[in-house]
Amino acid sequence: MKVQKAQDLLSSLDFDSLFFHKGQAGLDAFEEAVNRTKALLLSEEETHVTPYSGETPLEVATRIDGLKVASEKGEGLEEILRDLQQRVFHPSVRVTHPTCIGHLHCPPLIASVIADLIIGVLNPSMDSWDQSPSATYVEQQLIQWICQQFKYPSSSDGVFTSGGTQSNYMALMLARDAFCLRELQWEVRRHGLPQQAKRMRILCSEYAHFTVQQAAVQLGLGEQSVIPVATNEKFQLDPCDLKDKLSTMKALKLLPFAIVATCGTTDFGSIDPLTELAEIATQHQLWLHVDAAYGGALVLSQRNQDKLKGIELADSITVDFHKLFYQTISCGAFLVKEKACFRLIERHASYLNPKEDEDEGVLNLVGKSLQTTRRFDALKILLSMRWVGTERFARMIDYTIDLAQGVVELMKGFPSLQVLNPHPEISAVVFRYVSQRHDEERDNQMNRRIQQMLLKQGHGLVAKTVVKGKVYLKLTLLNPRTTLSDIEKLCQKIIALGMRYTQMDMEVM
Ligand SMILES: *Cc1c(COP(=O)(O)O)cnc(C)c1O
């Protein structure tokens, strides 16, 4: 009697159609859901002609206001998708649009999107081998492959991460702990920070990513521990200033322990002189970390990989795959030259990765990661590299680098567009509209307005940045489907807007 009741209840709740499983209900439900979603995505894509709908923050907030986020009895997928299409998908940024070129925000490869679907279905967790028996080894192989691309020795190792933020944090944590152990005979993991921590210093270019400071804060060293080094006219770290700063530190009895070199600064794509920095690091026994979140992808290009020369000398490397590797968010890696370093942060949980597992040769990746439960993002890289092929990958990257150079040449033909980095090493172009009135503040205001208006009118999603007090516009040309003619049209819009605003300002004055 009781059993019958329980079974009736079960069939009325219909759990069977909620999961993908080999029962007919599971297969049918999955197929239908995928088909409906596919239809929605196709129709969404067809209706869009601009990189963004142009709605203001207030308009979007109003759309989302009152959005139903849960329903007691459950709804049909079709109904939910229709609602979301209006309120959420419609006012989304179209990352695949040729003039969606503001941030380090790439159009994802179909290969990556499909891998994401597979990852979702299989849902392996990378922390312990028994949750990801094959995926564990796939990730290891991918890490080895990436290490080889960077000409890292066989002693190297790494782990997939959520991106550059986590990778940079890991680098500075290992650098800090290795330094404390070697120089101060102090084990941070056990005892916390040593009393000398207040004197520990990290050096990086003034254009290094803000996550260097963020990591220093989280590592208990404070922002004061990060010393910005001057850059040259190409926005690359100046080794002379670095040497000066190191001698000053020595005199002050400070304890420099790491240099962060940037291989592709976020604004300019500039690459610090890696070989020279490696020499200085060796001389002063400093950990050299290369933040190659943006520039790491150049390793795939025969034509451009020379720009990374010296990266193989780094103690650790950050690579982001959700930038110039065209992967869905999130996907990154942290690489170290000496895998023994991971011992500094490793920990053992009896339920997950007991020491006995290691003795028996079972590989649990949790010991290398800051995360416990972790996605099988390595599959996205594998599918992309095999499906697209490394040759076509290289050509995409080369194309975007050539495009950036082409854009610089193009802008030379427009006297009111002033380029700040006329020799981009990767694919970022920083420039501004200048009005000839020699009024810095008005020009700043105008460039801000141009950026907003381009987005509002749907001409382009362009970024803005401030360099030495001046507002600039920025193009990050990751999309290999963007053409020079797309940019030419965008430039004409920018100039038209600039002229109009100058006119309006004059009338007010
Ligand atoms: C994007 C970026 C980061 C941060 O990486 P996330 O993947 O956003 O966490 C760090 N450094 C550089 C140079 C970057 O371009």
Side-chain angles (χ1 to χ4, degrees), residues 231-289:
T231 51
N232 63 17
E233 71 291 345
K234 287 176 157 179
F235 307 99
Q236 302 160 317
L237 189 148
D238 171 13
C240 290
D241 188 51
L242 175 66
K243 286 183 205 159
D244 286 351
K245 293 243 154 70
L246 283 168
S247 339
T248 313
M249 283 181 188
K250 209 167 190 181
L252 294 171
K253 298 221 170 345
L254 294 172
L255 305 170
F257 70 98
I259 301 176
V260 178
T262 312
C263 177
T265 55
T266 311
D267 272 351
F268 307 104
S270 51
I271 298 173
D272 291 339
L274 303 177
T275 308
E276 238 179 307
L277 295 183
E279 270 165 33
I280 299 172
T282 307
Q283 210 172 20
H284 294 263
Q285 288 202 296
L286 306 173
W287 183 288
L288 177 65
H289 174 62

Side-chain angles (χ1 to χ4, degrees), residues 104 161-168 207-212 262-267 291-295 318-323 330-332:
L104 277 164
T161 64
S162 60
T165 306
Q166 193 182 89
S167 299
N168 284 347
Y207 294 113
H209 198 263
F210 73 84
T211 48
V212 175
T262 312
C263 177
T265 55
T266 311
D267 272 351
D291 178 356
Y294 180 11
T318 286
V319 205
D320 249 356
F321 299 113
H322 53 223
K323 288 175 179 168
S330 63
C331 195

Side-chain angles (χ1 to χ4, degrees), residues 308-373:
L308 308 189
K309 210 161 171 299
I311 198 167
E312 70 283 358
L313 304 168
D315 294 291
S316 56
I317 302 173
T318 286
V319 205
D320 249 356
F321 299 113
H322 53 223
K323 288 175 179 168
L324 205 42
F325 278 89
Y326 305 107
Q327 297 301 303
T328 57
I329 296 165
S330 63
C331 195
F334 171 65
L335 311 176
V336 279
K337 191 155 68 182
E338 296 302 330
K339 66 172 110 192
C341 295
F342 279 122
R343 293 268 169 209
L344 291 164
I345 56 164
E346 163 190 78
R347 69 187 33 264
H348 288 279
S350 48
Y351 83 96
L352 215 52
N353 63 335
K355 268 247 185 307
E356 305 82 73
D357 265 18
E358 209 170 288
D359 301 338
E360 290 167 16
V362 178
L363 186 59
N364 297 306
L365 298 184
V366 68
K368 291 194 287 186
S369 178
L370 295 183
Q371 292 166 263
T372 306
T373 304

Side-chain angles (χ1 to χ4, degrees), residues 94-120:
R94 305 288 137 177
V95 283
T96 57
H97 194 284
T99 59
C100 183
I101 44 179
H103 300 277
L104 277 164
H105 188 186
C106 66
L109 290 166
I110 293 173
S112 190
V113 173
I114 293 302
D116 249 344
L117 179 64
I118 301 171
I119 293 164

